Amino acid sequence: MNLTFRVLAAAVGATLAALIAPPASALPAPGPAATADTTALAAAESIEPPAATPALSWRDCGPGLQCAALPLPTDHAAVGSPRFDLALARFPARDQSRRLGSIVVNPGGPAAILDLLPHLRTQFTDLTEWFDVVLFDPRGLGRSAGISCPTPAPMPLEWAFPSEAAHREYTERSRAFGAGCTAAAGALAGKLDSWQVAHDLDALRAALGESRLRYLGNSYGTVFGQAYLSLFPQRAGRFFLDSVYDHTNRSQRDWVASRAAVTERNLHRFAQWCDRTPSCALHGRDLVRVWTELVARAEQQPIPAPSAVHGGPGTAARIISSTFVDFEREWPRLAEGIAEADAGDAGKLVGVPSIPVETDVNRLINCSDFAYPTGYAEVSRIVADVRATVAPLLGWRHAWVNVLKCTGFPAVKPFAPQPIRPAFRPPSLLADGIHDAVSTVEYGRRLTAQLPGSRHIAVDGAHANYLYGANRCLRDHVHRYLTTGALPPNGTTCPANP
């Protein structure tokens, strides 16, 4: 499940703002990675002359912020299709005399970002030492012809579907939502996939006057980046992709198993934390055993949940759907919920979905790009396989995520997962958190192997380690790469911030 909504919301608060690294005071010194890869990158960036004079008209729209709009076709594959305005914003480089160009940033989601920028300025301060930092609301979101769905997306508390009947009932609710939202999309209906967004990015590159696109994509922003690297390799510049959301794997089973394995490890990390943390509500007890026995009890008879915000008992499926172990900051609350459920009140454990709330349009985009099967029988077979081989306790539930998002949706021509097209392009830099169950290290390494000369960094962290985790080691490598082209050695890792 994409976690960027949870991260974006947290970024607005003071807690996350305190985690952001201070502005870099000087250009990072090149390290030992200034090798032939760097030479190839420099040569590649000189192939094409600069594009024509930019067609963008920037205006002040907040302290240190400028906005513009770029008219684009709703369908890049159809001549004469209706147009919409891609909404843009930029933080100009602080010293224009030292400016190295523009960098386009997509923080992920996919989500509207422009209205949040006054609260997220700090995340981009480092980059403005060298670049104009350009952001955009992806098509169909926010200011970019934002789609208003007539009804909210359904969000079941038992999204690890316990039966075919539950799956069938939810599919009908999802079908009604998808049909209404697709109708509301108008000319953008069926035109929200990453193929279209990659073409939007190429038009933006030209409008910025850049011969090659310099890009930072986080989470779902890496899907847009993968599409661009595949479709426009000759116009790709330096790409940094953080928390890689793999769009190259056609195997739904393998895509699920990678996530499931990380969540299973995180469940055991959660238990280890509880063992060494006296304040944990289950300190001194075998947390995994308590949780496993709780699920087994709930399978026989649901656990009462009188304090649940949304009402209803603690069924086994609801407990499994609500046990979110992939962010350490969730662990104290989760331990309390399990302890109280074990004592007879599952309200704190099952009262809210464990997955972050998404925008409605987010589902239309996801389901255009990740058109994996959603039928009950096929997904159930994947669940059984993953439970038997990778994640017997909790991680297997990832098999149901695409069902949650996409079951029953109107058929569109998908931009389905596919390997990156072989082509010459400058090497990229990629990174993933070793504890991230959505954008796994395995995903990042798979993509890196398809981009010759590129490098991957494994970070001791979870999701979004550059933008929102502000990992200092990672930021140093990223800034060196973006400003000089120097890549770190193979096998580079980054520890957590002290």
Side-chain angles (χ1 to χ4, degrees), residues 292-478:
T292 303
E293 291 179 348
L294 183 68
V295 172
R297 281 167 50 197
E299 286 177 340
Q300 299 300 315
Q301 182 174 346
I303 309 297
S307 63
V309 175
H310 296 282
T315 64
R318 197 167 170 187
I319 291 171
I320 290 166
S321 298
S322 300
T323 304
F324 190 87
V325 296
D326 297 315
F327 274 135
E328 295 180 15
R329 64 175 177 267
E330 304 280 349
W331 289 351
R333 178 203 60 80
L334 180 57
E336 291 176 4
I338 296 172
E340 292 179 13
D342 185 54
D345 181 358
K348 186 176 290 184
L349 179 60
V350 302
V352 295
S354 70
I355 52 179
V357 176
E358 297 181 322
T359 65
D360 298 334
V361 182
N362 176 288
R363 296 194 182 191
L364 296 185
I365 299 169
N366 269 272
C367 300
S368 297
D369 287 331
F370 292 90
Y372 288 131
T374 59
Y376 185 81
E378 185 161 3
V379 177
S380 293
R381 285 193 291 271
I382 293 173
V383 168
D385 183 5
V386 172
R387 291 189 78 165
T389 59
V390 177
L393 298 178
L394 180 62
W396 55 267
R397 71 178 183 181
H398 284 281
W400 294 112
V401 167
N402 215 51
V403 177
L404 172 73
K405 294 181 179 183
C406 305
T407 185
F409 266 30
V412 298
K413 182 180 180 181
F415 184 57
Q418 54 199 281
I420 296 290
R421 295 179 183 179
F424 175 79
R425 58 179 69 81
S428 299
L429 180 62
L430 301 86
D432 293 283
I434 60 175
H435 307 307
D436 189 352
V438 169
S439 305
T440 71
V441 167
E442 184 178 350
Y443 285 177
R445 287 174 176 162
R446 172 190 290 274
L447 178 58
T448 303
Q450 298 174 59
L451 302 171
S454 297
R455 298 287 188 270
H456 181 268
I457 299 175
V459 182
D460 186 356
H463 200 69
N465 290 288
Y466 179 90
L467 279 182
Y468 304 115
N471 182 278
R472 297 170 193 169
C473 164
L474 179 62
R475 284 200 164 206
D476 285 346
H477 284 298
V478 171

Side-chain angles (χ1 to χ4, degrees), residues 28-93:
T35 62
D37 291 331
T38 307
T39 303
L41 175 59
E45 290 193 333
S46 66
I47 291 175
E48 296 182 13
T53 302
L56 298 173
S57 178
W58 295 98
R59 57 180 177 79
D60 292 337
C61 57
L65 190 64
Q66 297 175 331
C67 293
L70 178 62
L72 294 174
T74 54
D75 185 358
H76 288 279
V79 177
S81 69
R83 301 179 78 79
F84 76 102
D85 283 343
L86 186 73
L88 310 171
R90 73 176 177 184
F91 294 106

